[in-house]
Amino acid sequence: MTSRTSRAAPPPAAPPPRPALAFRLLLLVLPAGGLAPVPPALAQERLAVAPSLVEDRKAVFATVESVREAEARARIGGTLREVRVREGDAVRAGELLAEVEDPKLPLQLAAIDARLEALAAQRRQALLELERTRQLRATGAATQARLDEAQTALDVVEAQAAATRAERAVLEEQRREGQVLAPQAGRVLRVRGVAGAVILPGESVATIATDRYVLRLRLPERHARFLRPGDPVEVGARGLAERPEAALGRGTIRLVYPELQDGQVVADAEVEGLGDFFVGERVRVTIAADRRSAIVVPEAFVIRGAGVDLARLASGALVPVQRGPARPLPDGTPGVEILSGLAAGDVLVRP
């Protein structure tokens, strides 16, 4: 008899886990593995690329100059008797700076005084003659013609005395014109005369700069069309220092001269705190030297890579971009200029 070994039947296979249960388990395992899901709000942040007008800033040197320079001139010729100012002095309008003396004027005044004394004696004589003639005319011993002649003689002497006094007044005015006065308040830049020197009428004795100073910029002709009154300027530190804390701050272009000088455009900028500067002192100034259209995007939309920067488009593609200088956006957000890689109309997704 052949013995048969009986086999036990295999147990039925367990049913596969339901998809819903597997998905829950996967969500529980993923955070433990260090992978965090991307927030939907951040992934949906988009930006439409559009060109904007940007300014290219340029550092130039400007000189401190007075708005106006006035010449204190001698009104008569003669010898400088005294010079009361020197370079750097502060003067008021109408202040006496120097005195010019003409040695001929005192002699002419003495001659006129002598003529006036002679005319005074002639007037006394003519007055006595007129009184006697009137008495004789009253008694009938003198004619009316003789009385008229005596009156005329007195009138002629008085007219000559009046003309001589007018001549003396002219000489006195010329003598006063020997005082060289400051035409305006300011600081003395240059003194051209010394005591004892001979000076001609109209010759300058001193140059005075007004108390109002400006920064005068001289730029190449190609920048002329970008300078406008009202444009802001950033002024560096005094003495050409590069310390930011020593900078003077900001100023404003007030005047762009309509005439080019030696191929340069000239402009004046007003800045506070120039009162104690030297005239002609140089200061570093940063201005908008050019305005052009460019693409500027927020810094957060640019992915920094190893040797190359990228930007993600709405289609999901990553495109390499060339980063330019940093430029803040109008709302103050940090931005960067994109030199190449993006075009107007592209839609970016924030990574």
Side-chain angles (χ1 to χ4, degrees):
M1 251 181 101
T2 304
S3 61
R4 296 179 178 177
T5 305
S6 59
R7 293 182 181 178
R18 290 178 298 177
L21 180 59
F23 183 71
R24 290 195 187 99
L25 293 175
L26 181 62
L27 291 180
L28 293 176
V29 173
L30 284 179
L35 299 176
V38 178
L42 188 60
Q44 296 299 324
E45 191 170 348
R46 296 167 176 256
L47 173 69
V49 176
S52 59
L53 190 65
V54 298
E55 295 181 345
D56 288 332
R57 312 292 290 180
K58 181 178 181 180
V60 297
F61 288 106
T63 56
V64 179
E65 298 186 16
S66 61
V67 177
R68 293 286 184 271
E69 291 185 4
E71 301 288 342
R73 301 182 181 275
R75 293 174 289 180
I76 64 172
T79 304
L80 275 174
R81 187 170 64 88
E82 181 183 9
V83 179
R84 299 189 177 186
V85 293
R86 60 181 181 179
E87 288 82 354
D89 289 348
V91 297
R92 303 181 306 273
E95 183 177 344
L96 181 62
L97 305 182
E99 290 189 35
V100 179
E101 186 178 42
D102 188 352
K104 298 187 298 295
L105 292 179
L107 299 178
Q108 293 175 353
L109 287 173
I112 287 181
D113 289 340
R115 287 171 53 191
L116 287 175
E117 291 179 0
L119 290 173
Q122 294 179 12
R123 183 180 181 280
R124 290 193 297 268
Q125 179 64 30
L127 187 58
L128 291 176
E129 183 66 23
L130 179 60
E131 290 297 329
R132 285 196 296 266
T133 305
R134 284 176 179 171
Q135 294 176 2
L136 293 175
R137 177 58 182 162
T139 59
T143 62
Q144 183 64 36
R146 183 178 176 185
L147 179 61
D148 294 341
E149 290 177 359
Q151 182 65 48
T152 302
L154 178 61
D155 294 341
V156 169
V157 172
E158 289 180 347
Q160 291 177 351
T164 305
R165 285 192 295 270
E167 291 180 10
R168 193 182 194 284
V170 171
L171 292 178
E172 286 289 349
E173 181 62 26
Q174 290 181 355
R175 197 173 186 177
R176 284 191 294 270
E177 287 180 351
Q179 298 179 346
V180 180
L181 307 178
Q184 60 186 4
R187 282 193 292 176
V188 178
L189 294 182
R190 292 176 292 275
V191 177
R192 296 184 176 86
V194 295
V198 177
I199 195 168
L200 300 177
E203 188 173 347
S204 176
V205 176
T207 302
I208 300 173
T210 60
D211 289 334
R212 182 184 173 195
Y213 296 121
V214 296
L215 286 178
R216 186 151 294 167
L217 295 85
R218 292 177 172 84
L219 304 175
E221 183 178 350
R222 64 179 179 274
H223 300 302
R225 58 192 179 96
F226 301 110
L227 288 179
R228 300 184 182 92
D231 287 350
V233 296
E234 297 176 3
V235 185
R238 184 175 184 179
L240 306 183
E242 296 184 358
R243 294 175 288 121
E245 67 276 6
L248 293 180
R250 297 174 64 88
T252 305
I253 293 180
R254 293 302 183 190
L255 176 64
V256 179
Y257 290 88
E259 180 184 6
L260 296 177
Q261 299 179 7
D262 298 328
Q264 294 179 321
V265 58
V266 183
D268 289 344
E270 286 189 352
V271 182
E272 296 293 335
L274 297 178
D276 60 342
F277 275 59
F278 293 100
V279 176
E281 184 173 348
R282 295 199 304 164
V283 180
R284 182 181 288 106
V285 177
T286 303
I287 64 169
D290 190 6
R291 292 180 176 87
R292 56 185 175 83
S293 180
I295 294 178
V296 181
V297 300
E299 182 76 25
F301 281 83
V302 180
I303 305 172
R304 288 183 175 271
V308 62
D309 295 331
L310 304 173
R312 185 183 298 276
L313 300 180
S315 61
L318 290 174
V319 296
V321 296
Q322 183 179 1
R323 177 191 296 265
R327 297 187 184 277
L329 297 175
D331 59 355
T333 304
V336 59
E337 181 181 350
I338 302 301
L339 302 180
S340 63
L342 296 178
D346 292 344
V347 178
L348 302 181
V349 177
R350 182 169 180 173

